[in-house]
Structures are given as structure tokens and as C-alpha cells.
Amino acid sequence: MIKFLDLQRINQRHEAEFTEALRGVLDSGRYIRGRQLAAFEEEFAAYCGVPHAIGTGNGLDALTLILRAFMEQGRLKPGDEVLLPANTYIASILAVSACGLIPVPVEPDPLSFNIDPERLEAAITARTRALMAVHLYGRLADMDRLAVFAAERELLLIEDAAQAHGACDAQGHRAGSFGHAAAFSFYPGKNLGALGDGGAVITPDEELARIVRALGNYGSEKKYLHEMKGVNSRLDEMQAALLRVKLRCLDADNERRREIAGRYLREISHPEIMLPHWDGGKNHVFHLFVVRHPERKKLAAFLSEKGIETAVHYPVPPHKQGAYKEWRQHAYPLTEAIHREVLSLPLHPALHEDEVRHIIASLNQFP
Ligand SMILES: *Cc1c(COP(=O)(O)O)cnc(C)c1O
């Protein structure tokens, strides 16, 4: 069986360096907020081309802490509306709700799967204060247009870059460097994945960075002095040490992902299988390679018989989830169609050539 995501194989490539890194943490006797975290934050910020990075417990916390920091600054208040894609992983939306802000879903552009800039205007109200872009499946949202729109409307621009570590535009600007702040997840399956939970906030804003850091540490900057009602959400030394090892391979891993995606796009040829759009640039890091088919269940079953595991990202849209019963009556037809038809193929940097060939051949054999 070709696994959808072979994390064991991906991480075994780093066994020697991981062992050394973990030994260093063990011997340091410091397991929270030590030198590994400081070094990772510096290296990750530099990689993204942004001055500040703050490690967090996970990606959802990173998003939530950004919004909470804006509230501490008085730039957002409960009841303010945040525009975001209807077609996203629910975490983007949960972060907004968790802060007492109102998420306002906007339909995607069906070719990029990302929020459609054309539809933003119609979603604006007197209470709109922020726009959250999500780089879904690893493809940069249309940040030029979103940034112009946000600037014209004086909206805060936040990026959920949890699926897009390292993606960059034609000028080399990385995911996470376009807005006021961005959130990353280092969940094991992400392009930069830890061996456990982890996340980060990056921002060009020094004050925001200071507030996010304090909020994630019980609202405290000075030990036992609490200026804000914070939480405990930190990236630990072991994960930071492992992530430093993997960050050095991120560009090469993303390049390998693009190479496999290029082959899928050139060699998979089937009248009913719709392939993702990509112009060949570095704006896509193929966290996921998502095809569409009107009968994806049949396609998944066929591939499974061929020994190929697939996955669905995602089966139920946020507005149809029990968590958002208040949206039951909302209709987002593009989002709903995407959720009915999408199927994710195995694509990761440790996939072997013969597996790539077998996946391509199998799709082309689908009746
Ligand atoms: C994974 C993910 C998150 C949440 O990250 P966690 O580390 O799992 O909390 C948020 N948004 C998107 C788009 C994601 O893919």
C-alpha cells in the first residue's frame, strides 16, 4: 500500500540529526523557552523574511493569539467581523469565534480554491475590521489583491499560512510576510512538521510580537507579573530543536513536492479528473495535491484497490458542521461542490519514483 502520508519515512531521513538535536536538549536541562526555541524563532523569522517569530503550542493557538493581541491593542473588539474563506479548514474559523469576533465566510475562486477577491466587496459591512487569507493546500492566496483591498478598507490582514510554509510570490515574498501577522502550524503532517504539536506567529510589528509572546505565557512578560489574561501556549525545546533540523530541508522538500506535482499535472490525463491549477511557480508548495471528480468515492475505491491510499480535504464544509449550526441555512454552492468532489493524492517529499509512476498509471486506468 502506498500511504497517503508516510510520516515515518519522511522523518527517518533525519534520524541521525534528530538524535543529536534531542541529546542536546536532554543535556541542556532546559525544556521550555530555552536556546532551541530562541534559535528556531530567529531562523524561522529570517526564512520567512519577517522580523519577529513567536513559537506557540499549535497553529490554532497561533491564529487565536494574533486576534487576541489585536484586541489587547484595541484594534479589534468583540462583535467585529472578519472576512475569511468559506472553503477552509475549520481551525481558521474557530480562532475567530473563540475571540468573540464574527467570522464572515466568502466563497472561493474555483481555480485556486482560495478566497475570491471579487466577492469581498459584497461581504463588507460597517463592522468589518479584518481579512484572513488562507493559503489552502499550500497555494498562496492572491495576496497582491487582498493586500490592496485590506489597505483601502483599513482592514487588518491576517494570513493562515498553516499549509504554506515556504510558498513565495514572483518577487520572493514568502507566505506569512504579506499582512500584519501570520500563523503557522507545525502539526506533523504539515510541510514543516514537528513530532508533536507546534505553531508560530510571525509579524513585522514589534509591539504585536511582544503581546503575542506574553499572551502565550500567561499574559506575563516578567515572571509572576501578569499584565493580561493570557494562556499557556508555547513551543517546547524538543520540537524547536527538531524543527531547526527540518527547516534546513524545507526548500528542498518543497521543490521535490513541486517536481512530483509537475509530473502529476503533465502525465495524469483523464477527461473527468480535474487537476489543480498551477503556473509552475514557487507560489505553490503542494501541501496537498487535490483533484476533483464528480464520483470521488468510486475513484478513491479504485485507487485503494490499486494499493493507493487517498484522503479528503475536507468532507464537510465549516458551514455544515454542528459547531456552526447558526449557518445551516447559509448556501455557499462553490464551497459545497468542492467539498463533494475533492480527493487528495499521495504527494510528499519521501515518495519514491516507482510510487509516483504507479499513482499516475492508476489514475489513467480509471474507467
Ligand atoms: C492545520 C491547520 C490549522 C491548525 O493547526 P494546528 O496546529 O493543527 O492547530 C489551521 N489552519 C489550517 C488551514 C490548517 O491546515
Side-chain angles (χ1 to χ4, degrees):
M1 194 77 179
I2 301 175
K3 284 191 190 168
F4 173 69
L5 180 63
D6 199 332
L7 285 176
Q8 193 182 12
R9 202 197 279 170
I10 288 172
N11 286 316
Q12 269 170 349
R13 302 176 302 163
H14 307 292
E15 188 178 335
E17 282 179 290
F18 276 180
T19 306
E20 197 186 328
L22 292 175
R23 165 72 49 190
V25 175
L26 178 66
D27 292 347
S28 77
R30 174 119 191 204
Y31 309 120
I32 298 280
R33 295 186 112 208
R35 284 164 66 172
Q36 293 300 324
L37 176 64
F40 174 70
E41 287 177 340
E42 195 170 309
E43 288 160 11
F44 191 62
Y47 176 85
C48 296
V50 165
H52 308 284
I54 306 99
T56 62
N58 56 66
L60 175 58
D61 283 357
L63 282 169
T64 311
L65 288 171
I66 291 169
L67 296 166
R68 284 218 38 202
F70 284 138
M71 296 176 94
E72 290 289 340
Q73 289 182 312
R75 296 158 91 180
L76 289 177
K77 58 180 186 320
D80 284 350
E81 293 176 0
V82 180
L83 303 178
L84 42 68
N87 180 52
T88 181
Y89 180 56
I90 197 166
S92 323
I93 303 179
L94 290 173
V96 174
S97 313
C99 295
L101 302 162
I102 313 295
V104 177
V106 176
E107 284 267 64
D109 162 47
L111 294 185
S112 72
F113 294 109
N114 283 325
I115 197 165
D116 186 348
E118 294 288 330
R119 294 171 183 266
L120 293 173
E121 196 63 53
I124 285 259
T125 76
R127 309 208 65 173
T128 311
R129 292 289 176 272
L131 167 58
M132 184 186 290
V134 183
H135 310 301
L136 201 69
Y137 305 154
R139 182 189 161 128
L140 273 190
D142 189 346
M143 293 315 294
D144 287 344
R145 289 187 61 188
L146 297 183
V148 167
F149 183 86
E152 280 175 3
R153 298 308 191 125
E154 294 180 39
L155 304 178
L156 294 166
L157 180 59
I158 301 146
E159 295 173 70
D160 178 345
Q163 302 189 355
H165 319 70
C168 58
D169 70 6
Q171 287 75 45
H173 302 124
R174 300 263 192 199
S177 69
F178 295 91
H180 294 91
F184 286 87
S185 163
F186 307 123
Y187 179 79
K190 309 285 173 157
N191 288 31
L192 181 60
L195 301 193
D197 274 317
V201 171
I202 65 171
T203 176
D205 180 336
E206 187 173 353
E207 189 194 43
L208 193 79
R210 191 174 53 74
I211 297 172
V212 166
R213 189 181 298 285
L215 280 174
N217 189 42
Y218 308 108
S220 168
E221 283 184 78
K222 249 190 173 158
K223 203 161 189 183
Y224 303 131
L225 290 180
H226 303 269
E227 299 294 334
M228 296 172 283
K229 296 183 185 75
V231 297
N232 175 5
S233 183
R234 305 179 293 216
L235 184 65
D236 69 64
E237 286 290 286
M238 286 210 282
Q239 301 306 336
L242 300 170
L243 287 166
R244 290 182 71 197
V245 171
K246 288 183 83 172
L247 180 59
R248 297 199 280 270
C249 301
L250 179 58
D251 281 340
D253 277 0
N254 283 340
E255 205 48 56
R256 176 67 184 141
R257 285 174 183 270
R258 280 192 284 264
E259 200 175 290
I260 297 168
R263 289 202 49 194
Y264 286 173
L265 288 169
R266 282 190 303 276
E267 298 176 39
I268 296 170
S269 169
H270 188 290
E272 267 132 36
I273 297 173
M274 203 198 289
L275 300 174
H277 270 244
W278 177 45
D279 64 7
K282 294 191 168 150
N283 64 330
H284 208 324
V285 290
F286 287 96
H287 172 57
L288 296 169
F289 190 95
V290 177
V291 303
R292 290 177 69 172
H293 189 279
E295 291 186 86
R296 67 135 174 258
K297 245 187 163 163
K298 271 195 194 160
L299 180 56
F302 178 83
L303 291 173
S304 173
E305 270 180 32
K306 296 273 180 191
I308 300 165
E309 189 184 18
T310 56
V312 174
H313 300 90
Y314 299 89
V316 181
H319 70 281
K320 297 288 184 193
Q321 298 282 357
Y324 288 99
K325 289 185 189 70
E326 61 272 32
W327 290 346
R328 275 278 158 73
Q329 303 312 316
H330 288 211
Y332 300 102
L334 290 171
T335 295
E336 287 158 32
I338 287 168
H339 280 76
R340 271 195 305 275
E341 296 180 358
V342 287
L343 188 69
S344 306
L345 306 182
L347 191 165
H348 62 77
L351 205 59
H352 297 154
E353 273 307 302
D354 57 333
E355 295 173 326
V356 171
R357 266 198 305 277
H358 179 64
I359 291 165
I360 293 167
S362 301
L363 279 143
N364 289 338
Q365 284 161 20
F366 184 59

